[in-house]
Amino acid sequence: MNMLDFITKLLAATLAMGTSLAYATVGEVYTQKTGILNLGMEGIMLMGALAGFSTAFNTGNLYLALMMAMLVGGFFSLIHAFLCITMRANQVPAGLAITMFGTGLANFLGERLGPASNGYNLTGMNIPDKFSNIAIPFLSDIPIIGALFDVSLLTYALYILIPFAWFFMYKTKHGMVVRAVGENPRTAASMGISVTRIRYVYTVIGGMLAGLGGACLSLSFTPSWNEGMTSGKGWIVIALVIFSTWNPGRVVIGTLVFGGITSLQFSLQAAGLKMVIPSQFLGFSPYLITLVALAAMTIINQKKRGSFASPSALGTSFAIDDK
Amino acid sequence: MKKSIVLLLIMLLATSFVFAQGAKEATVSADAPLKVGVIYISPPGDMGYSYMHDQGTIAMEEHFGDKVEVIRMEGIPENESSERVMENLIDEGCKIIFANSYNYQQYMLNVAERYPDVYFEHCSGYLSADNMSNYFGRMYQMRYLSGIIAAEMSSSGKIGFVGAYNTPEVVRGINAFTLGARAVNPDATVTVVWTNTWFDPSLERQGSVALLDQGCDVIAQHQDTTEPAKAAIERGKYAIGYNADFRKIVGDDHVLVSPMWNWGNYMIPAVQSALDGTWESQSYWGGLEDEMIHLSPLSPLVPEAVADEVMSVQDKIHDGEWDVFWGELKDNTGSLRQNTGEKMNDEAMLTMDWFVEGVVGSV
């Protein structure tokens, strides 16, 4: 196998796996930009995976399945928003509770939404159709970048979503409002912006994208339902947000790096090459990179103030009558 | 008036004690069912490892009918909390307890020391005590047979194997699989990809995809989900299942065969001996002769000649004429590990940490 072919296939594998991460990360970036930390991603993604799969299984309609996944994801983040914004609860335990509730409920329902013939279990069931790869003629034959043009519809949609998310955040007036709410909610409020409303909206949108990310797994990448099938992706998302320095555009880099390490590790093993990276390294490497990124950000920020910093009001609650 | 009400209440209370006492005695009478506790690492809904254990438990329940009463504990983590779970089962009256995963063994041993009157059955470990047995099956025999099928069906001679962890159990399985493959095609290779997880649908699939990208046309696995097999089938390649009958689950004849467990064949005699009062501690490693393991029905895509070949080897193993790790063995760096005519003992098999010739990869 030649080098070009190797890299092309590596990129294809990275894109297939990274799609789910990218949706959820863009969602969490928007949520955190308004100052709300949602650690419930793991639970929300799993609920999205379940909602998507069970809808597709019972109706055969993939688009309805995507909508259900987004609806369920939005609902779960609405709970988080209510706790953190209206009730002004501490965002860390609230998010952890969402993760525990979401994973528990998803696993519970997964044993009850299946067909009677399988003991009402969804595990082991197959959906009639899935989001398969669609190759664009000619473009998909180009070495390396051809991999970008032989992906599923869900990945193609990302090519639009990520630039849009970046443009919206940094080049529109509304995006500035979003950032202002996360940086200094008091000032934003004094300018007549409803901090509560903005935070609610983007926490829910973040959850909808996380639900969609979960559905990417159960409807496209690994078309099935398995208990705990997100297996920690929700936590990688939290790390990816930091790695992307809260910039939806940089999510692309983060996803490619994180997904690429995993794919490279498998490709090297499968090619029978001596391991460059020990395989145990795989599991914790995303978090290690995050630690390095955090340290690097601090150093850069000291020199060039604020360019890579987290939203100043991240994790804090806000009420108009706060003294 | 008040006094009489108090008196009445006291009398009621006293009589209720008598009734309660009576009820308690009834549960320990001779024909009360034997309570059996079963602890699973994952919910049986996983369609994998714990599912097959539960099939064994169900077979045991059906065999004994109302002579036994089973209490299932699902998704129990392999830590100190499993000791509490075992003690709860004992409080509920369980006289024999099964636990199905490797890392329960130390916790089970601790509890076994505290409760000498209860029988403990641990699956897949090596620790035992006067009142604690360990048990497992010689799955490697089925791996060998599935390796024959894989090599016969492969046109490239390149076979992929998605492995979870490099434990002796998995390494032994890969070695047996490779020996089976090379028995029918001496040029066949088995390329191994480690995922470092028993269960992660995404990683399992990625491992399989990487192998397929490198030209493997049959994918075997020691993982808990069907994802490695599904990735192969989606590309029109073949797959070998594990644990449960993947051909039924996935619904595609490209799944050629699945090595499977029969846990009921151990659980039934174990519970019988507990009922009879003849239970004894043992280290049990059952094979084909005890039907602890078996192959799923073969896919119709497997030619009859290959099926016959597999059956004839299976008969030889069954009758004890031959076993997988008998004869000359070389490792995949070329050094001789076992001479012609030698038979590997159980201890060497249970601690295996090297790959046989033909495996591409490292332990």
Side-chain angles (χ1 to χ4, degrees):
Chain A
M1 177 181 260
N2 67 48
M3 202 59 201
L4 276 183
D5 200 23
F6 184 87
I7 297 171
T8 310
K9 283 176 169 162
L10 182 65
L11 182 59
T14 307
L15 289 170
M17 141 113 198
T19 300
S20 154
L21 290 175
Y23 275 106
T25 308
V26 171
E28 179 72 4
V29 164
Y30 263 86
T31 302
Q32 292 197 12
K33 271 287 182 189
T34 67
I36 299 293
L37 175 69
N38 187 353
L39 294 181
M41 297 312 261
E42 177 74 2
I44 296 172
M45 285 178 80
L46 194 61
M47 276 307 297
L50 176 87
F53 186 80
S54 66
T55 308
F57 177 74
N58 288 306
T59 67
N61 188 330
L62 287 176
Y63 297 94
L64 192 66
L66 285 184
M67 278 168 62
M68 275 305 289
M70 289 173 74
L71 212 66
V72 168
F75 174 74
F76 267 75
S77 52
L78 187 64
I79 302 174
H80 185 68
F82 176 74
L83 288 172
C84 300
I85 303 167
T86 305
M87 305 306 290
R88 300 169 65 194
N90 186 320
Q91 296 178 13
V92 173
L96 293 177
I98 295 286
T99 280
M100 285 186 257
F101 176 47
T103 44
L105 185 67
N107 293 343
F108 175 82
L109 291 174
E111 287 187 29
R112 281 156 185 84
L113 294 176
S117 58
N118 194 35
Y120 300 99
N121 200 330
L122 271 179
T123 311
M125 292 292 105
N126 301 299
I127 43 176
D129 197 12
K130 67 159 192 161
F131 285 103
S132 308
N133 285 6
I134 302 164
I136 296 176
F138 307 116
L139 285 177
S140 60
D141 297 330
I142 305 168
I144 301 181
I145 59 162
L148 294 169
F149 301 103
D150 186 7
V151 293
S152 77
L153 207 57
L154 295 166
T155 314
Y156 284 122
L158 272 181
Y159 299 168
I160 301 164
L161 176 77
I162 291 179
F164 174 77
W166 174 83
F167 183 83
F168 185 78
M169 177 92 71
Y170 291 105
K171 301 291 168 194
T172 67
K173 189 160 170 271
H174 192 82
M176 202 174 74
V177 169
V178 170
R179 284 181 287 141
V181 167
E183 289 298 336
N184 195 335
R186 178 147 299 281
T187 310
S190 69
M191 288 167 70
I193 297 166
S194 169
V195 173
T196 303
R197 193 169 59 91
I198 295 286
R199 286 186 163 183
Y200 257 97
V201 167
Y202 288 98
T203 305
V204 169
I205 288 176
M208 289 169 82
L209 288 171
L212 194 56
C216 289
L217 295 174
S218 64
L219 300 177
S220 176
F221 186 53
T222 55
S224 57
W225 165 252
N226 282 295
E227 294 204 355
M229 67 184 291
T230 45
S231 43
K233 289 199 175 50
W235 302 114
I236 294 183
V237 165
I238 305 291
L240 264 173
V241 171
I242 301 168
F243 187 82
S244 312
T245 61
W246 293 269
N247 181 328
R250 294 199 191 108
V251 169
V252 178
I253 304 166
T255 310
L256 287 178
V257 169
F258 278 42
I261 289 174
T262 315
S263 302
L264 178 66
Q265 131 86 17
F266 282 130
S267 303
L268 291 175
Q269 287 191 66
L273 297 173
K274 197 78 197 141
M275 289 307 303
V276 182
I277 317 157
S279 57
Q280 285 84 353
F281 194 80
L282 172 84
F284 67 82
S285 57
Y287 306 103
L288 184 68
I289 296 171
T290 306
L291 289 176
V292 174
L294 271 172
M297 267 167 6
T298 311
I299 295 165
I300 295 167
N301 287 336
Q302 280 168 351
K303 291 185 177 152
K304 195 180 143 195
R305 222 190 95 65
S307 58
F308 289 119
S310 62
S312 309
L314 181 61
T316 58
S317 61
F318 170 77
I320 201 77
D321 54 352
D322 274 357
K323 291 283 161 341
Chain B
M1 185 61 193
K2 253 186 185 170
K3 262 185 190 167
S4 63
I5 289 176
V6 171
L7 200 68
L8 194 72
L9 280 174
I10 290 171
M11 278 171 70
L12 263 175
L13 211 64
T15 46
S16 70
F17 267 121
V18 174
F19 283 125
Q21 205 66 28
K24 202 171 184 185
E25 260 159 29
T27 59
V28 291
S29 73
D31 43 335
L34 177 78
K35 286 198 179 175
V36 181
V38 185
I39 296 173
Y40 299 137
I41 178 77
S42 48
D46 67 355
M47 289 291 146
Y49 188 68
S50 290
Y51 170 77
M52 291 315 290
H53 276 270
D54 202 48
Q55 294 298 304
T57 307
I58 290 167
M60 186 266 291
E61 273 177 310
E62 282 171 358
H63 179 84
F64 291 108
D66 53 13
K67 280 194 271 183
V68 297
E69 185 187 328
V70 175
I71 305 176
R72 290 173 170 79
M73 301 301 287
E74 303 167 356
I76 306 302
E78 295 172 294
N79 56 32
E80 312 80 60
S81 67
S82 67
E83 287 194 30
R84 301 288 92 75
V85 171
M86 288 177 223
E87 286 178 335
N88 285 343
L89 285 171
I90 295 165
D91 286 345
E92 292 290 325
C94 289
K95 291 289 169 225
I96 180 165
I97 295 175
F98 293 85
N100 80 342
S101 190
Y102 182 81
N103 283 316
Y104 290 134
Q105 63 176 345
Q106 186 58 51
Y107 306 109
M108 188 168 236
L109 189 67
N110 297 346
V111 180
E113 280 166 4
R114 292 201 289 274
Y115 296 89
D117 299 337
V118 177
Y119 304 129
F120 294 86
E121 297 278 0
H122 179 257
C123 175
S124 78
Y126 56 87
L127 295 177
S128 60
D130 285 348
N131 59 334
M132 174 173 158
S133 292
N134 58 60
Y135 66 100
F136 207 50
R138 294 178 188 268
M139 183 49 87
Y140 66 88
Q141 296 173 335
M142 296 301 103
R143 295 276 188 202
Y144 183 91
L145 300 179
S146 64
I148 295 176
I149 297 169
E152 289 282 12
M153 300 298 285
S154 168
S155 42
S156 68
K158 282 189 76 174
I159 302 165
F161 199 110
V162 185
Y165 290 101
N166 56 355
T167 62
E169 180 198 350
V170 182
V171 170
R172 190 168 63 239
I174 293 170
N175 282 342
F177 180 80
T178 308
L179 290 173
R182 286 169 72 94
V184 296
N185 176 7
D187 297 326
T189 58
V190 175
T191 306
V192 177
V193 162
W194 297 114
T195 60
N196 289 302
T197 173
W198 296 113
F199 171 90
D200 184 330
S202 302
L203 289 182
E204 290 175 35
R205 171 173 284 260
Q206 276 196 296
S208 179
V209 164
L211 290 163
L212 293 160
D213 280 347
Q214 290 292 327
C216 294
D217 57 3
V218 183
I219 300 290
Q221 63 180 84
H222 193 136
Q223 296 282 175
D224 281 355
T225 82
T226 53
E227 287 307 318
K230 279 161 70 183
I233 291 160
E234 281 165 22
R235 296 201 185 184
K237 308 296 184 197
Y238 296 118
I240 307 276
Y242 176 56
N243 271 327
D245 189 348
F246 278 17
R247 189 159 65 93
K248 263 204 247 160
I249 298 176
V250 181
D252 193 308
D253 287 340
H254 280 71
V255 180
L256 302 170
V257 67
S258 307
M260 291 168 69
W261 293 100
N262 284 336
W263 296 110
N265 287 356
Y266 178 80
M267 294 176 83
I268 291 170
V271 170
Q272 184 68 56
S273 66
L275 279 166
D276 298 345
T278 57
W279 191 97
E280 269 179 31
S281 171
Q282 59 173 335
S283 287
Y284 174 87
W285 202 22
L288 257 178
E289 69 289 355
D290 295 355
E291 293 176 25
M292 274 295 282
I293 43 176
H294 70 286
L295 285 183
S296 69
L298 305 190
S299 158
L301 298 179
V302 178
E304 200 138 325
V306 176
D308 291 344
E309 188 184 0
V310 168
M311 288 313 137
S312 76
V313 178
Q314 177 162 315
D315 288 344
K316 275 208 283 185
I317 299 175
H318 180 272
D319 299 340
E321 278 175 48
W322 178 82
D323 202 2
V324 173
F325 296 105
W326 287 13
E328 187 187 275
L329 291 175
K330 274 187 191 157
D331 68 21
N332 67 348
T333 62
S335 36
L336 192 71
R337 290 282 188 155
Q338 184 171 285
N339 288 314
T340 319
E342 282 184 332
K343 300 172 181 178
M344 194 180 287
N345 61 26
D346 282 0
E347 202 203 325
M349 280 195 259
L350 288 167
T351 55
M352 200 175 268
D353 61 355
W354 52 276
F355 277 142
V356 297
E357 192 175 28
V359 179
V360 180
S362 45
V363 173

